[in-house]
Amino acid sequence: MPFHYQLYDYWLRSTGIWVSPLLTLNVDWLNESEISAIAQIHALERVEFGIKMSWEYRKKLDSDYMSWCVDTKHPNVVFTDKSISHNSAPSIFSYQMRDPNRLVMSVGKYEETIVLESYNKRLREHRYEGKLMRRLWETKVDATIAPLAMVS
């Protein structure tokens, strides 16, 4: 069983394509070479699994991505390939599973809460310095059943 089991289970249920009025978001598992790249950046030794997210905005011609993984030696921490700001430096986020359906991730003054309301509906909230900046309802239109890679 993974050390980060609750987080793993949460993302297992979250993989797939999500749409909102703002964007289309694809959530999928990292493969072993993608995991290795992030592990090397952060000098991680016991990576369990990783997630990649890519998105395309619906009202402007722009897209982006972010990948991250977790390591058994680091509880409640996510290691990313880039930051949430406009620079591309790797980052480290804290995370909390408030319950099996509510994930809160934070770095610095930024916080994102993602709540799985059902199999195909979720709420994402972005806060900066505690102030709500954006609230998005997303609907899942496609789902991946099993992870591509999990490293132990």
Side-chain angles (χ1 to χ4, degrees), residues 110-147:
Y110 174 81
E111 180 180 282
E112 179 178 41
T113 301
I114 311 169
V115 181
L116 292 172
E117 292 286 325
S118 67
Y119 171 76
N120 64 351
K121 188 172 184 173
R122 70 184 198 171
L123 173 66
R124 279 195 313 143
E125 295 180 334
H126 299 157
R127 288 184 168 73
Y128 188 78
E129 293 184 331
K131 181 180 177 185
L132 181 64
M133 304 304 288
R134 178 179 297 144
R135 177 178 283 142
L136 291 171
W137 283 99
E138 299 172 329
T139 304
K140 186 188 275 190
V141 294
D142 183 37
T144 303
I145 302 298

Tab-separated table of all heavy atoms in Angstrom, residues 110-147:
chain	number	residue	atom	x	y	z
A	110	TYR	N	-0.418	31.030	-1.902
A	110	TYR	CA	-1.391	30.429	-2.823
A	110	TYR	C	-1.936	29.127	-2.250
A	110	TYR	O	-1.190	28.333	-1.678
A	110	TYR	CB	-0.725	30.151	-4.173
A	110	TYR	CG	-1.589	29.397	-5.140
A	110	TYR	CD1	-2.553	30.061	-5.889
A	110	TYR	CD2	-1.442	28.039	-5.312
A	110	TYR	CE1	-3.352	29.367	-6.778
A	110	TYR	CE2	-2.236	27.332	-6.198
A	110	TYR	CZ	-3.186	28.008	-6.924
A	110	TYR	OH	-3.986	27.318	-7.802
A	111	GLU	N	-3.243	28.916	-2.416
A	111	GLU	CA	-3.885	27.680	-1.968
A	111	GLU	C	-4.937	27.266	-2.988
A	111	GLU	O	-5.684	28.101	-3.502
A	111	GLU	CB	-4.541	27.896	-0.608
A	111	GLU	CG	-5.233	26.669	-0.055
A	111	GLU	CD	-5.874	26.930	1.293
A	111	GLU	OE1	-5.134	26.944	2.290
A	111	GLU	OE2	-7.098	27.144	1.324
A	112	GLU	N	-4.982	25.969	-3.272
A	112	GLU	CA	-6.013	25.425	-4.158
A	112	GLU	C	-6.722	24.300	-3.425
A	112	GLU	O	-6.075	23.433	-2.836
A	112	GLU	CB	-5.404	24.890	-5.457
A	112	GLU	CG	-6.442	24.296	-6.385
A	112	GLU	CD	-5.861	23.815	-7.703
A	112	GLU	OE1	-4.767	23.219	-7.688
A	112	GLU	OE2	-6.497	24.035	-8.728
A	113	THR	N	-8.040	24.336	-3.441
A	113	THR	CA	-8.863	23.279	-2.865
A	113	THR	C	-9.638	22.631	-4.001
A	113	THR	O	-10.255	23.322	-4.809
A	113	THR	CB	-9.845	23.843	-1.826
A	113	THR	OG1	-9.105	24.501	-0.799
A	113	THR	CG2	-10.699	22.745	-1.217
A	114	ILE	N	-9.585	21.291	-4.056
A	114	ILE	CA	-10.331	20.543	-5.071
A	114	ILE	C	-11.219	19.553	-4.334
A	114	ILE	O	-10.729	18.734	-3.556
A	114	ILE	CB	-9.410	19.799	-6.045
A	114	ILE	CG1	-8.323	20.720	-6.584
A	114	ILE	CG2	-10.228	19.201	-7.195
A	114	ILE	CD1	-7.229	19.996	-7.343
A	115	VAL	N	-12.521	19.642	-4.585
A	115	VAL	CA	-13.495	18.793	-3.903
A	115	VAL	C	-14.210	17.939	-4.935
A	115	VAL	O	-14.843	18.463	-5.866
A	115	VAL	CB	-14.535	19.640	-3.132
A	115	VAL	CG1	-15.517	18.727	-2.402
A	115	VAL	CG2	-13.859	20.597	-2.175
A	116	LEU	N	-14.093	16.614	-4.787
A	116	LEU	CA	-14.844	15.702	-5.649
A	116	LEU	C	-16.264	15.601	-5.102
A	116	LEU	O	-16.474	15.015	-4.041
A	116	LEU	CB	-14.191	14.320	-5.673
A	116	LEU	CG	-12.843	14.212	-6.355
A	116	LEU	CD1	-12.240	12.834	-6.120
A	116	LEU	CD2	-12.984	14.490	-7.843
A	117	GLU	N	-17.195	16.192	-5.810
A	117	GLU	CA	-18.598	16.143	-5.383
A	117	GLU	C	-19.231	14.816	-5.771
A	117	GLU	O	-20.125	14.328	-5.094
A	117	GLU	CB	-19.380	17.296	-6.020
A	117	GLU	CG	-18.983	18.655	-5.513
A	117	GLU	CD	-19.495	18.914	-4.104
A	117	GLU	OE1	-20.597	18.447	-3.759
A	117	GLU	OE2	-18.780	19.584	-3.342
A	118	SER	N	-18.792	14.252	-6.892
A	118	SER	CA	-19.273	12.961	-7.378
A	118	SER	C	-18.240	12.435	-8.363
A	118	SER	O	-17.203	13.059	-8.579
A	118	SER	CB	-20.640	13.117	-8.066
A	118	SER	OG	-20.515	13.870	-9.263
A	119	TYR	N	-18.535	11.304	-8.964
A	119	TYR	CA	-17.608	10.706	-9.918
A	119	TYR	C	-17.259	11.670	-11.056
A	119	TYR	O	-16.136	11.683	-11.530
A	119	TYR	CB	-18.236	9.432	-10.490
A	119	TYR	CG	-17.455	8.847	-11.633
A	119	TYR	CD1	-16.273	8.144	-11.394
A	119	TYR	CD2	-17.877	9.009	-12.943
A	119	TYR	CE1	-15.529	7.618	-12.434
A	119	TYR	CE2	-17.137	8.485	-13.992
A	119	TYR	CZ	-15.975	7.792	-13.730
A	119	TYR	OH	-15.247	7.285	-14.767
A	120	ASN	N	-18.220	12.492	-11.480
A	120	ASN	CA	-17.976	13.347	-12.647
A	120	ASN	C	-18.198	14.838	-12.394
A	120	ASN	O	-18.358	15.604	-13.333
A	120	ASN	CB	-18.831	12.887	-13.821
A	120	ASN	CG	-20.303	13.040	-13.558
A	120	ASN	OD1	-20.717	13.325	-12.445
A	120	ASN	ND2	-21.110	12.847	-14.580
A	121	LYS	N	-18.174	15.254	-11.137
A	121	LYS	CA	-18.330	16.680	-10.834
A	121	LYS	C	-17.410	17.050	-9.683
A	121	LYS	O	-17.343	16.342	-8.679
A	121	LYS	CB	-19.779	16.996	-10.467
A	121	LYS	CG	-20.036	18.477	-10.336
A	121	LYS	CD	-21.517	18.778	-10.155
A	121	LYS	CE	-21.705	20.272	-10.134
A	121	LYS	NZ	-23.097	20.651	-10.120
A	122	ARG	N	-16.700	18.170	-9.867
A	122	ARG	CA	-15.827	18.638	-8.800
A	122	ARG	C	-15.766	20.160	-8.786
A	122	ARG	O	-16.061	20.826	-9.772
A	122	ARG	CB	-14.427	18.044	-8.899
A	122	ARG	CG	-13.607	18.546	-10.046
A	122	ARG	CD	-12.283	17.814	-10.102
A	122	ARG	NE	-11.330	18.551	-10.901
A	122	ARG	CZ	-10.058	18.252	-10.993
A	122	ARG	NH1	-9.577	17.226	-10.315
A	122	ARG	NH2	-9.243	18.963	-11.735
A	123	LEU	N	-15.357	20.673	-7.634
A	123	LEU	CA	-15.221	22.114	-7.424
A	123	LEU	C	-13.751	22.414	-7.165
A	123	LEU	O	-13.104	21.737	-6.366
A	123	LEU	CB	-16.053	22.546	-6.210
A	123	LEU	CG	-15.901	23.991	-5.745
A	123	LEU	CD1	-16.427	24.956	-6.799
A	123	LEU	CD2	-16.615	24.190	-4.420
A	124	ARG	N	-13.222	23.435	-7.857
A	124	ARG	CA	-11.855	23.912	-7.591
A	124	ARG	C	-11.924	25.358	-7.153
A	124	ARG	O	-12.571	26.178	-7.789
A	124	ARG	CB	-10.977	23.812	-8.849
A	124	ARG	CG	-10.451	22.429	-9.050
A	124	ARG	CD	-9.316	22.317	-10.023
A	124	ARG	NE	-9.527	23.030	-11.254
A	124	ARG	CZ	-8.575	23.677	-11.909
A	124	ARG	NH1	-7.354	23.740	-11.436
A	124	ARG	NH2	-8.836	24.266	-13.044
A	125	GLU	N	-11.244	25.654	-6.062
A	125	GLU	CA	-11.183	27.025	-5.550
A	125	GLU	C	-9.723	27.430	-5.418
A	125	GLU	O	-8.915	26.675	-4.881
A	125	GLU	CB	-11.864	27.132	-4.190
A	125	GLU	CG	-13.346	26.868	-4.230
A	125	GLU	CD	-13.999	26.984	-2.873
A	125	GLU	OE1	-13.316	26.781	-1.841
A	125	GLU	OE2	-15.201	27.274	-2.843
A	126	HIS	N	-9.415	28.619	-5.912
A	126	HIS	CA	-8.070	29.186	-5.790
A	126	HIS	C	-8.135	30.362	-4.841
A	126	HIS	O	-8.985	31.237	-4.993
A	126	HIS	CB	-7.555	29.669	-7.148
A	126	HIS	CG	-7.452	28.585	-8.150
A	126	HIS	ND1	-7.470	28.810	-9.500
A	126	HIS	CD2	-7.334	27.243	-8.023
A	126	HIS	CE1	-7.369	27.682	-10.151
A	126	HIS	NE2	-7.285	26.711	-9.268
A	127	ARG	N	-7.210	30.378	-3.880
A	127	ARG	CA	-7.128	31.477	-2.917
A	127	ARG	C	-5.715	32.041	-2.918
A	127	ARG	O	-4.744	31.303	-3.087
A	127	ARG	CB	-7.479	30.994	-1.524
A	127	ARG	CG	-8.933	30.701	-1.329
A	127	ARG	CD	-9.250	30.300	0.120
A	127	ARG	NE	-10.667	30.284	0.360
A	127	ARG	CZ	-11.492	29.360	-0.108
A	127	ARG	NH1	-11.037	28.388	-0.845
A	127	ARG	NH2	-12.781	29.424	0.157
A	128	TYR	N	-5.630	33.342	-2.707
A	128	TYR	CA	-4.347	34.008	-2.531
A	128	TYR	C	-4.452	34.845	-1.276
A	128	TYR	O	-5.377	35.656	-1.145
A	128	TYR	CB	-3.999	34.875	-3.752
A	128	TYR	CG	-2.596	35.413	-3.682
A	128	TYR	CD1	-1.520	34.600	-4.003
A	128	TYR	CD2	-2.351	36.712	-3.245
A	128	TYR	CE1	-0.218	35.080	-3.918
A	128	TYR	CE2	-1.050	37.195	-3.156
A	128	TYR	CZ	0.002	36.382	-3.492
A	128	TYR	OH	1.294	36.851	-3.397
A	129	GLU	N	-3.544	34.623	-0.342
A	129	GLU	CA	-3.574	35.262	0.982
A	129	GLU	C	-4.933	35.073	1.657
A	129	GLU	O	-5.454	35.972	2.300
A	129	GLU	CB	-3.210	36.735	0.884
A	129	GLU	CG	-1.784	36.982	0.472
A	129	GLU	CD	-1.410	38.452	0.484
A	129	GLU	OE1	-2.275	39.323	0.283
A	129	GLU	OE2	-0.215	38.719	0.703
A	130	GLY	N	-5.530	33.889	1.470
A	130	GLY	CA	-6.808	33.568	2.076
A	130	GLY	C	-8.028	34.095	1.345
A	130	GLY	O	-9.150	33.715	1.662
A	131	LYS	N	-7.820	34.956	0.359
A	131	LYS	CA	-8.936	35.546	-0.376
A	131	LYS	C	-9.280	34.682	-1.593
A	131	LYS	O	-8.408	34.325	-2.385
A	131	LYS	CB	-8.564	36.956	-0.840
A	131	LYS	CG	-9.661	37.650	-1.592
A	131	LYS	CD	-9.239	39.031	-2.020
A	131	LYS	CE	-10.356	39.661	-2.846
A	131	LYS	NZ	-9.939	40.953	-3.390
A	132	LEU	N	-10.561	34.353	-1.735
A	132	LEU	CA	-11.020	33.557	-2.862
A	132	LEU	C	-10.829	34.337	-4.159
A	132	LEU	O	-11.339	35.444	-4.317
A	132	LEU	CB	-12.501	33.189	-2.692
A	132	LEU	CG	-13.101	32.324	-3.796
A	132	LEU	CD1	-12.438	30.946	-3.840
A	132	LEU	CD2	-14.601	32.184	-3.579
A	133	MET	N	-10.044	33.769	-5.074
A	133	MET	CA	-9.765	34.421	-6.356
A	133	MET	C	-10.601	33.824	-7.494
A	133	MET	O	-10.963	34.524	-8.429
A	133	MET	CB	-8.276	34.285	-6.710
A	133	MET	CG	-7.343	34.835	-5.640
A	133	MET	SD	-7.644	36.562	-5.219
A	133	MET	CE	-7.048	37.362	-6.671
A	134	ARG	N	-10.860	32.512	-7.421
A	134	ARG	CA	-11.602	31.851	-8.498
A	134	ARG	C	-12.272	30.603	-7.955
A	134	ARG	O	-11.705	29.871	-7.159
A	134	ARG	CB	-10.653	31.462	-9.626
A	134	ARG	CG	-11.340	30.734	-10.769
A	134	ARG	CD	-10.396	30.379	-11.888
A	134	ARG	NE	-9.874	31.597	-12.470
A	134	ARG	CZ	-8.629	31.732	-12.925
A	134	ARG	NH1	-7.796	30.732	-12.872
A	134	ARG	NH2	-8.227	32.859	-13.448
A	135	ARG	N	-13.469	30.368	-8.415
A	135	ARG	CA	-14.219	29.151	-8.095
A	135	ARG	C	-14.702	28.564	-9.417
A	135	ARG	O	-15.344	29.265	-10.191
A	135	ARG	CB	-15.392	29.470	-7.185
A	135	ARG	CG	-16.250	28.255	-6.875
A	135	ARG	CD	-17.363	28.602	-5.930
A	135	ARG	NE	-16.802	28.703	-4.580
A	135	ARG	CZ	-17.179	29.598	-3.677
A	135	ARG	NH1	-18.094	30.485	-3.968
A	135	ARG	NH2	-16.632	29.614	-2.481
A	136	LEU	N	-14.360	27.305	-9.666
A	136	LEU	CA	-14.722	26.646	-10.917
A	136	LEU	C	-15.418	25.318	-10.640
A	136	LEU	O	-14.901	24.496	-9.875
A	136	LEU	CB	-13.474	26.320	-11.744
A	136	LEU	CG	-12.677	27.428	-12.352
A	136	LEU	CD1	-11.382	26.871	-12.934
A	136	LEU	CD2	-13.486	28.116	-13.429
A	137	TRP	N	-16.540	25.097	-11.281
A	137	TRP	CA	-17.156	23.786	-11.290
A	137	TRP	C	-16.689	23.089	-12.554
A	137	TRP	O	-16.721	23.663	-13.638
A	137	TRP	CB	-18.677	23.881	-11.270
A	137	TRP	CG	-19.202	24.202	-9.910
A	137	TRP	CD1	-19.594	25.418	-9.453
A	137	TRP	CD2	-19.367	23.292	-8.829
A	137	TRP	NE1	-19.988	25.334	-8.138
A	137	TRP	CE2	-19.863	24.028	-7.738
A	137	TRP	CE3	-19.133	21.924	-8.666
A	137	TRP	CZ2	-20.140	23.445	-6.509
A	137	TRP	CZ3	-19.410	21.339	-7.444
A	137	TRP	CH2	-19.912	22.106	-6.378
A	138	GLU	N	-16.236	21.851	-12.403
A	138	GLU	CA	-15.745	21.074	-13.535
A	138	GLU	C	-16.545	19.785	-13.654
A	138	GLU	O	-16.965	19.209	-12.653
A	138	GLU	CB	-14.261	20.739	-13.361
A	138	GLU	CG	-13.388	21.971	-13.270
A	138	GLU	CD	-11.957	21.663	-12.907
A	138	GLU	OE1	-11.704	20.669	-12.178
A	138	GLU	OE2	-11.089	22.437	-13.344
A	139	THR	N	-16.722	19.346	-14.887
A	139	THR	CA	-17.429	18.104	-15.180
A	139	THR	C	-16.486	17.160	-15.900
A	139	THR	O	-15.814	17.559	-16.854
A	139	THR	CB	-18.658	18.380	-16.071
A	139	THR	OG1	-19.487	19.341	-15.411
A	139	THR	CG2	-19.450	17.111	-16.335
A	140	LYS	N	-16.439	15.918	-15.456
A	140	LYS	CA	-15.577	14.919	-16.083
A	140	LYS	C	-16.266	14.380	-17.336
A	140	LYS	O	-17.424	13.982	-17.284
A	140	LYS	CB	-15.279	13.770	-15.126
A	140	LYS	CG	-14.267	12.771	-15.669
A	140	LYS	CD	-14.142	11.546	-14.799
A	140	LYS	CE	-13.181	11.751	-13.673
A	140	LYS	NZ	-12.876	10.480	-12.963
A	141	VAL	N	-15.513	14.358	-18.425
A	141	VAL	CA	-16.076	13.849	-19.674
A	141	VAL	C	-15.405	12.572	-20.130
A	141	VAL	O	-15.886	11.917	-21.037
A	141	VAL	CB	-16.005	14.907	-20.810
A	141	VAL	CG1	-16.894	16.092	-20.475
A	141	VAL	CG2	-14.585	15.347	-21.081
A	142	ASP	N	-14.278	12.210	-19.499
A	142	ASP	CA	-13.562	10.991	-19.849
A	142	ASP	C	-12.769	10.564	-18.630
A	142	ASP	O	-12.324	11.399	-17.868
A	142	ASP	CB	-12.611	11.246	-21.030
A	142	ASP	CG	-11.904	9.995	-21.481
A	142	ASP	OD1	-12.519	8.917	-21.472
A	142	ASP	OD2	-10.716	10.084	-21.838
A	143	ALA	N	-12.593	9.271	-18.462
A	143	ALA	CA	-11.883	8.802	-17.275
A	143	ALA	C	-10.878	7.718	-17.627
A	143	ALA	O	-11.131	6.880	-18.466
A	143	ALA	CB	-12.879	8.252	-16.262
A	144	THR	N	-9.750	7.747	-16.953
A	144	THR	CA	-8.760	6.692	-17.024
A	144	THR	C	-8.986	5.801	-15.811
A	144	THR	O	-9.080	6.300	-14.702
A	144	THR	CB	-7.339	7.296	-16.975
A	144	THR	OG1	-7.214	8.228	-18.040
A	144	THR	CG2	-6.283	6.225	-17.089
A	145	ILE	N	-9.047	4.506	-16.018
A	145	ILE	CA	-9.374	3.598	-14.933
A	145	ILE	C	-8.173	3.271	-14.042
A	145	ILE	O	-8.245	3.326	-12.841
A	145	ILE	CB	-9.953	2.272	-15.482
A	145	ILE	CG1	-11.187	2.555	-16.324
A	145	ILE	CG2	-10.263	1.292	-14.365
A	145	ILE	CD1	-12.331	3.183	-15.609
A	146	ALA	N	-7.022	2.938	-14.637
A	146	ALA	CA	-5.880	2.483	-13.838
A	146	ALA	C	-4.653	3.335	-14.104
A	146	ALA	O	-4.499	3.891	-15.180
A	146	ALA	CB	-5.585	1.027	-14.174
A	147	PRO	N	-3.759	3.419	-13.126
A	147	PRO	CA	-2.542	4.216	-13.303
A	147	PRO	C	-1.592	3.558	-14.295
A	147	PRO	O	-1.581	2.344	-14.444
A	147	PRO	CB	-1.938	4.246	-11.904
A	147	PRO	CG	-2.469	3.035	-11.233
A	147	PRO	CD	-3.848	2.812	-11.801
